[in-house]
Amino acid sequence: MSATVLREKRQTTLPVEVVEAAGLKPNDQVDWRFQDGEIRGRKLEPVRPIPRLKPLRVKGRLRPPDGFKPSRQIIAAAVRADRDDR
């Protein structure tokens, strides 16, 4: 067991064994939750930023820039981001 101390600003240091076992690197994000009397964390997968493109108006219609073909994942992420912004 590797015990750590919680400092005044709610900070602690993760034991080396935990960091290595989880494959954590600097700037990785960890999702924390309290469940069944235990504090649990899981490494979050990095999220690619959603491209914010300025739409072009062609004959009164909005068109994406030439050569831009969004994937279903990009479209779904953009829709989620738009809903979150509301």
Side-chain angles (χ1 to χ4, degrees):
M1 181 168 112
S2 300
T4 61
V5 175
L6 187 66
R7 295 187 294 275
E8 285 186 38
K9 293 185 178 182
R10 298 183 310 271
Q11 296 172 330
T12 191
T13 301
L14 295 175
V16 173
E17 302 84 26
V18 172
V19 171
E20 289 176 351
L24 294 171
K25 299 182 297 290
N27 297 319
D28 280 348
Q29 289 188 336
V30 178
D31 177 44
W32 298 100
R33 66 184 179 280
F34 185 76
Q35 181 179 355
D36 300 327
E38 295 181 353
I39 299 171
R40 299 180 184 199
R42 68 180 176 97
K43 178 181 176 181
L44 294 177
E45 294 299 318
V47 178
R48 293 188 316 173
I50 301 168
R52 298 280 181 175
L53 301 173
K54 184 176 180 181
L56 303 174
R57 285 203 177 267
V58 179
K59 295 182 183 176
R61 293 183 163 182
L62 292 176
R63 301 281 172 117
D66 289 337
F68 179 72
K69 296 180 181 176
S71 66
R72 289 177 187 243
Q73 291 84 6
I74 289 176
I75 293 170
V79 169
R80 280 193 300 275
D82 184 58
R83 287 180 184 161
D84 291 346
D85 289 345
R86 292 181 186 187

